Amino acid sequence: VIKVNKHIEDVINVNKQVVSTSKDVQAALIALGYDCGVVDGIVGVKTIAAIKKFQRDNHLSVDGIAGVVTKGKMGEILNR
């Protein structure tokens, strides 16, 4: 599973901005217009709500977790 996920991440992020850490996720959310509070690396209530809204808006599975698919979509949008 890890090998497959790593491969998916590599394919998604080739020549693109990589969204990988909690701070990256928060910065991406803000850049995309989602209010997650401050970029502090703490995944709290505001960050989870912003992730869920992003997931809903982009027709992803809504779980509030910035996994491979969610991060990949953020990177895809940021790199258009």
Side-chain angles (χ1 to χ4, degrees):
V1 173
I2 293 170
K3 187 174 185 179
V4 171
N5 287 343
K6 178 66 177 145
H7 175 71
I8 291 169
E9 257 187 312
D10 289 344
V11 169
I12 290 169
N13 295 315
V14 171
N15 297 320
K16 294 186 176 184
Q17 181 175 333
V18 177
V19 179
S20 61
T21 67
S22 298
K23 285 185 177 182
D24 291 340
V25 168
Q26 290 171 325
L29 287 165
I30 290 169
L32 295 168
Y34 295 89
D35 179 17
C36 65
V38 296
V39 177
D40 59 6
I42 299 169
V43 181
V45 174
K46 282 183 141 183
T47 300
I48 293 169
I51 292 168
K52 286 181 176 180
K53 178 144 178 43
F54 174 83
Q55 290 169 327
R56 247 189 306 316
D57 291 349
N58 288 280
H59 312 288
L60 303 175
S61 177
V62 178
D63 60 7
I65 298 169
V68 174
V69 174
T70 299
K71 290 177 186 176
K73 188 66 169 178
M74 288 176 177
E76 177 189 321
I77 294 168
L78 287 170
N79 289 291
R80 285 186 184 161

